Amino acid sequence: MGLGPRSPPHSGRRFPAGSKRGRGAPGSGRPPPGRGRHSRAPADRQSEPTPEALPHLSPEALGYFRRALSTLKDAPEAGEERELMVHNILKEVEAQALALATNRTGSEMLQELLGFSPLKPLCRIWAALRSNLRIVACHRCGVHVLQSALLQLPRLLERPAKQEEEEEEEEEQGKDGVLESLEELVLGLASEVSDDFLFYCGDTHGSFVVRTLLQVLGGTLLESERTRHRGSQSSKAHRTSARECKPADFEVPETFLNCLQDLSSCFLKDIAVFITDKISSFCLQVALHVLHRKLPQFCAHLCSAVIGYLGTRSSSADRSPLLMFLQDQTSSRLLEQVLLVLEPPKLQSLFEDHFQGQLLTLAAHPIANFPLQRLLDAVTSPELLSCVFEELSPALEAVLAQGHPGVVVALVGACRRVGAHQAQVLQRLLEAFHCAEPSSRQVACVPLFATLTAYEVYYELMEEEGAVPAEHQVEMASAKVLGEVTVLGSLLLQHLLHFSTPSLVLRSLGALTGPQLVALAQSPAGSHVLDAILVSPSVTRKQRRRVLQTLKGQYVSLACSRHGSRVLDAIWSGAALGARKEIAAELGEQNQELIKDPFGHHVARNVALTTFLKRRAAWEEQQSAVAKRKKAFNSILED
């Protein structure tokens, strides 16, 4: 771990990166996200039928749907011919809906076809699948078809059915009986799920349907769930899923919200199962997120039920019973969501009853440090922040050494958000990274924070334990190649740059050499530090210019880098006309190199480099017009 020779056990080290940013990173104590983290459910919960029990999809039928989908994609986006094509294809789909849904290739095609489906054909397909709901919902392929059907609601609820479709349906209703509306189908699905709620929530595949249904009933599609759904599909299906998931929030009938509350009430009947079961717990987490946005009072009621149950599970008198569950993989995830949706007064009470005095224990635990991070993310009051800061801040170095930098970043983020203890937390960070004393070392804080490395380890110093720390050597620092920037190190710097007084961090950034600052800009994580300099309201124009002027002479290197080119685009967007001339002139000296580079040619086009080189007067006139429009737009926003 890079222990320094002068240091006691927890000092003079490269701090372990720990979880980096995700909870499932190696060594974080968390299993990776997604379906792979679930242990296989007991045999009685696996209802997926044997292949022999499912209808067979012939190779001829599969070939037909493959050709039909390809033709549909190539057809014009509107017109009678396309409508007739969609109608005919979906008629065939309706006849073989179950066979398609439970075939791996067929289900992927069906998901894409649902993205093209008008309202009435979708209702017919849904109705065809509903008689086999348990088979489809608990099938590894069928579940994605049901999810895709549900995810069409944002699109279809906005578009009333066309008159000719309604007339067509009236004819068909006379033949085949009344076709249920989309609203009735969703409510019917919710009713069937509610009747066997514990089964569907506990099934590996069925739980995905419950989670999507909860979101649709609440008119809220969560990004984490949409990403998880897309991850199981082909790259083409990804695009369809992305299209069908917009917008994230949409209007739903009042009956949906009433049904959401009724369905969520089912959690209360078996609260112990939903707290402790790995699969079922995810359904409750999604419910809390949706309810918090749409039915906050019922969300608070559900949170109280969870906390009330957990608070009575241990007979230990010297510690909160909640601590045991904070250290468990399943229940701790649920508690993270509870912390994020609790109202401030309830959060304060929860802290005082269960967290206070235990923060260092939680910060050191490989699992419990994650709920602690969510607690810090939820802090909004100066009073609660003061209590947390007083307990945590003296041990920042120990927390970093234990490989849990996410706790430190979350604490700094809370200080930024609440606007309190900013100077104190910065001082604690300087001490933790061994650059507080002597004061000359403070100018080196940026590379230390970015790489999560203590001073003597970063600069490879050999200092005896107890010896007076050496002064910072500018020549040594200038010759040092910037180390690898970590995600959490980047987030730490971004928070610090949004503090009310970021002068120390800006001074350290200004001390970086051109190559070091370019390395920061070209880093996937470090490039966001430059973004923070450009957008932070605490950074003045003069301070911004002082840091960015180090990049002069390095613009071509930036332009020819994936992340550096994005930083250069952002600098260009906010630059005045004079600065734009300097950038364009420097880039123009190596125009051919830029044009040949896959990233550089985009920058050259954005800068209008060809116009600058051949028709300077026209370029200046164009840039002046852009500057005037931006100035007028900004004045409108300020008004």
Side-chain angles (χ1 to χ4, degrees):
M1 281 196 283
L3 289 173
R6 75 172 184 86
S7 309
H10 287 309
S11 61
R13 65 176 68 223
R14 174 184 292 278
F15 300 113
S19 64
K20 295 189 178 178
R21 193 173 186 178
R23 295 180 302 181
S28 67
R30 288 289 199 195
R35 212 179 289 179
R37 69 175 159 235
H38 302 319
S39 60
R40 185 165 180 82
D44 61 346
R45 295 203 311 195
Q46 298 299 310
S47 66
E48 189 170 315
T50 60
E52 294 76 14
L54 297 172
H56 178 66
L57 189 66
S58 68
E60 293 78 12
L62 200 59
Y64 164 77
F65 288 115
R66 184 180 287 112
R67 291 191 301 272
L69 181 59
S70 177
T71 304
L72 187 58
K73 289 178 178 178
D74 295 335
E77 292 189 2
E80 293 184 7
E81 182 180 347
R82 179 186 178 85
E83 291 178 6
L84 181 61
M85 187 187 305
V86 170
H87 172 80
N88 291 336
I89 295 172
L90 293 177
K91 269 288 188 183
E92 295 296 327
V93 167
E94 181 185 352
Q96 303 192 60
L98 182 59
L100 275 168
T102 53
N103 177 278
R104 179 175 178 178
T105 303
S107 71
E108 291 180 354
M109 291 192 291
L110 180 50
Q111 290 172 65
E112 290 202 72
L113 286 168
L114 290 174
F116 296 107
S117 177
L119 175 60
K120 296 300 182 181
L122 178 71
C123 290
R124 289 197 298 268
I125 294 170
W126 196 324
L129 293 173
R130 183 172 169 184
S131 58
N132 297 285
L133 177 63
R134 179 175 285 210
I135 292 176
V136 178
C138 300
H139 189 277
R140 62 171 60 103
C141 300
V143 60
H144 297 303
V145 173
L146 280 180
Q147 283 186 288
S148 290
L150 285 167
L151 291 171
Q152 302 306 317
L153 262 74
R155 172 173 64 88
L156 295 175
L157 288 175
E158 292 178 350
R159 301 180 186 177
K162 294 182 178 180
Q163 185 66 34
E164 56 265 31
E165 287 182 331
E166 294 177 349
E167 292 172 358
E168 177 188 342
E169 289 305 327
E170 287 174 5
E171 296 176 6
E172 294 189 4
Q173 288 167 9
K175 299 176 184 177
D176 306 321
V178 177
L179 180 68
E180 289 182 283
S181 69
L182 185 62
E183 181 177 345
E184 290 170 333
L185 285 167
V186 174
L187 295 176
L189 174 63
S191 176
E192 291 189 52
V193 169
S194 176
D195 291 341
D196 208 353
F197 193 65
L198 204 57
F199 168 79
Y200 283 108
C201 289
D203 184 85
T204 304
H205 308 302
S207 64
F208 282 79
V209 174
V210 178
R211 283 144 61 173
T212 308
L213 178 61
L214 289 165
Q215 295 170 70
V216 166
L217 290 173
T220 297
L221 298 179
L222 309 180
E223 179 60 33
S224 59
E225 294 300 304
R226 300 202 302 275
T227 303
R228 194 174 286 131
H229 176 52
R230 289 198 297 271
S232 61
Q233 303 175 30
S234 67
S235 59
K236 293 183 179 178
H238 290 187
R239 293 195 291 272
T240 301
S241 187
R243 179 173 66 248
E244 69 198 10
C245 286
K246 295 178 181 178
D249 290 284
F250 58 97
E251 293 295 326
V252 293
E254 188 66 27
T255 52
F256 277 25
L257 293 178
N258 295 334
C259 183
L260 173 63
Q261 180 163 331
D262 293 340
L263 193 64
S264 299
S265 298
C266 297
F267 289 109
L268 297 170
K269 300 174 185 176
D270 298 282
I271 194 71
V273 175
F274 293 104
I275 290 174
T276 57
D277 182 76
K278 289 183 179 181
I279 299 173
S280 304
S281 176
F282 281 100
C283 296
L284 179 52
Q285 292 173 48
V286 170
L288 289 173
H289 197 143
V290 175
L291 290 167
H292 178 62
R293 295 170 64 90
K294 300 294 181 171
L295 299 171
Q297 289 185 332
F298 191 79
C299 178
H301 176 61
L302 206 51
C303 287
S304 297
V306 171
I307 296 170
Y309 174 83
L310 295 179
T312 60
R313 294 300 96 191
S314 173
S315 58
S316 175
D318 59 342
R319 53 181 284 170
S320 163
L322 212 62
L323 294 180
M324 176 179 67
F325 295 97
L326 289 168
Q327 297 172 357
D328 174 75
Q329 284 192 0
T330 299
S331 55
S332 67
R333 288 182 181 274
L334 176 60
L335 284 169
E336 287 180 44
Q337 188 59 48
V338 170
L339 289 166
L340 290 174
V341 300
L342 276 180
E343 295 299 315
K346 293 281 187 180
L347 188 68
Q348 180 78 38
S349 299
L350 183 67
F351 172 78
E352 293 172 354
D353 294 341
H354 300 284
F355 283 84
Q356 197 161 24
Q358 302 294 332
L359 298 189
L360 296 183
T361 301
L362 298 177
H365 195 274
I367 294 173
N369 79 89
F370 293 102
L372 175 57
Q373 291 179 44
R374 301 296 81 76
L375 171 68
L376 292 166
D377 291 341
V379 171
T380 56
S381 70
E383 294 78 18
L384 180 54
L385 178 60
S386 294
C387 295
V388 173
F389 184 83
E390 182 180 351
E391 193 172 334
L392 265 184
S393 62
L396 293 191
E397 183 176 352
V399 174
L400 288 165
Q402 288 155 353
H404 302 151
V407 175
V408 176
V409 173
L411 178 63
V412 175
C415 294
R416 166 190 169 181
R417 188 174 57 254
V418 178
H421 300 286
Q422 293 182 354
Q424 296 97 313
V425 79
L426 177 57
Q427 180 61 32
R428 293 290 192 183
L429 285 171
L430 295 175
E431 294 170 359
F433 285 86
H434 304 168
C435 59
E437 295 294 339
S439 59
S440 60
R441 288 189 174 191
Q442 295 179 8
V443 76
C445 67
V446 163
L448 305 184
F449 294 168
T451 59
L452 295 179
T453 312
Y455 184 92
E456 61 272 15
V457 176
Y458 185 83
Y459 289 110
E460 300 175 345
L461 300 180
M462 300 296 291
E463 295 183 345
E464 296 295 332
E465 185 175 345
V468 177
E471 294 285 343
H472 180 64
Q473 301 296 318
V474 176
E475 296 80 6
M476 172 187 67
S478 299
K480 178 76 174 177
V481 176
L482 184 70
E484 181 183 356
V485 180
T486 67
V487 172
L488 288 173
S490 173
L491 287 171
L492 179 61
L493 286 170
Q494 291 172 55
H495 286 318
L496 294 171
L497 284 166
H498 280 83
F499 276 13
S500 58
T501 308
S503 54
L504 176 59
V505 176
L506 290 169
R507 191 165 73 249
S508 180
L509 280 164
L512 296 179
T513 64
Q516 289 170 341
L517 195 58
V518 168
L520 184 67
Q522 292 178 337
S523 162
S527 61
H528 295 289
V529 176
L530 276 296
D531 291 340
I533 296 173
L534 294 170
V535 303
S536 172
S538 304
V539 180
T540 66
R541 185 175 301 177
K542 184 177 180 181
Q543 290 173 323
R544 189 175 296 121
R545 187 167 57 247
R546 187 179 298 131
V547 172
L548 297 180
Q549 71 180 0
T550 308
L551 292 173
K552 288 182 180 180
Q554 309 286 338
Y555 294 139
V556 175
S557 297
L558 286 180
C560 296
S561 159
R562 176 187 297 273
H563 301 286
S565 61
R566 187 184 58 78
V567 170
L568 185 56
D569 282 340
I571 293 172
W572 175 267
S573 179
L577 181 57
R580 289 191 172 196
K581 288 180 182 179
E582 292 180 1
I583 295 173
E586 184 177 323
L587 294 175
E589 293 175 1
Q590 300 186 49
N591 183 40
Q592 292 303 313
E593 181 180 340
L594 287 177
I595 292 174
K596 294 177 183 178
D597 186 84
F599 305 108
H601 82 275
H602 289 293
V603 173
R605 185 178 56 188
N606 188 38
V607 173
L609 198 54
T610 301
T611 305
F612 175 82
L613 294 173
K614 296 182 177 180
R615 293 182 290 129
R616 180 72 60 90
W619 183 88
E620 291 187 7
E621 183 178 344
Q622 180 188 47
Q623 297 300 320
S624 296
V626 170
K628 288 178 181 178
R629 285 198 299 270
K630 181 186 288 187
K631 185 176 181 180
F633 181 70
N634 289 338
S635 65
I636 292 172
L637 292 179
E638 290 170 1
D639 292 343

